[in-house]
Amino acid sequence: MPALTFYTNPQSRARIVHWMLEEVGEPYETILVPFGPEMKAPAYRAINPMGKVPSLKIGDEIVTEVAAIITVLADAFPAAGLMPANRATFYRWMFFGAGPVEAAVTNQSLGVEVPPERRGMVGYGSLPTVLETLEGQLNAHSFICGNEFSAADVYIGSQIGWGMRFKTIEARPAFNAYWSRLTERPALARSTALNDALLPKE
């Protein structure tokens, strides 16, 4: 199995990858990268030129971007059962999370309002349209790719859970029920405890 080195900060999206690593169940080394000069220094930018976390070294390869890391891990460790047999459905929802969901929620949080006549330019259309799409899928299925948990739930589920917590995503009944199912995952509980232990001590 390829060695795994995880570059993280617990106050970032790296928490999503941490959850995925716990779901995979393979050993990994955790390297904490503080925000500020160290994250932007040449040594770390040689790993991630954007100077941000998360990053993952898997064997001799470096992978960045949360959705990409999760997908690579699901592929690299098939025994974990996190890659659905229907790859088309998996890729559809992973890219939906990395594209429309991420962009719509971010723009809403920044107060960016797209005029109705220009919505075709931004791809996601509007945040209500994005949320209705997610809601429809989760009303029809227990998990994002169907009725079995997959790596896509680590990514989309984190976006929904964080969104409801920070009130950037409306807490609709389908979302609450979905997040409740995900919080039963032992790997999520383990990763939360590991991340909380890395937080700065006051």
Side-chain angles (χ1 to χ4, degrees):
M1 289 295 176
L4 300 172
T5 304
F6 174 44
Y7 299 87
T8 184
N9 188 295
Q11 295 173 297
S12 74
R13 288 176 175 83
R15 279 183 174 253
I16 306 174
V17 172
H18 216 151
W19 175 12
M20 181 64 180
L21 285 164
E22 287 298 312
E23 290 284 356
V24 166
E26 295 293 333
Y28 58 92
E29 178 186 6
T30 300
I31 297 180
L32 181 64
V33 186
F35 290 115
E38 186 170 335
M39 195 176 287
K40 301 299 183 183
Y44 183 66
R45 287 173 71 95
I47 296 165
N48 188 332
M50 293 287 287
K52 65 177 187 176
V53 290
S55 299
L56 182 75
K57 186 174 183 182
I58 176 167
D60 295 326
E61 299 291 332
I62 297 288
V63 187
T64 64
E65 310 312 316
V66 174
I69 295 171
I70 288 173
T71 301
V72 166
L73 286 170
D75 263 332
F77 300 98
L82 298 168
M83 177 61 78
N86 189 332
R87 294 286 185 100
T89 297
F90 175 80
Y91 290 130
R92 172 192 176 185
W93 289 106
M94 286 296 285
F95 279 89
F96 186 75
V101 177
E102 175 80 12
V105 171
T106 299
N107 281 350
Q108 176 81 6
S109 300
L110 293 173
V112 176
E113 294 189 20
V114 180
E117 69 276 10
R118 308 298 289 275
R119 286 177 179 169
M121 293 182 65
V122 295
Y124 62 80
S126 69
L127 180 59
T129 301
V130 169
L131 297 185
E132 286 163 14
T133 301
L134 284 174
E135 184 179 35
Q137 182 70 357
L138 293 172
N139 276 328
H141 304 283
S142 297
F143 297 100
I144 201 68
C145 289
N147 292 318
E148 298 292 334
F149 177 86
S150 75
D153 295 295
V154 175
Y155 188 50
I156 300 286
S158 294
Q159 290 176 302
I160 289 174
W162 284 12
M164 291 194 299
R165 178 181 176 184
F166 294 108
K167 304 189 186 309
T168 58
I169 287 179
E170 180 184 348
R172 302 182 180 192
F175 298 162
N176 280 320
Y178 174 57
W179 183 241
S180 179
R181 289 191 289 276
L182 296 185
T183 57
E184 296 175 358
R185 303 288 302 180
L188 176 56
R190 289 196 303 273
S191 69
T192 299
L194 289 167
N195 276 284
D196 289 348
L198 293 173
L199 289 168
K201 303 296 187 289
E202 295 182 359

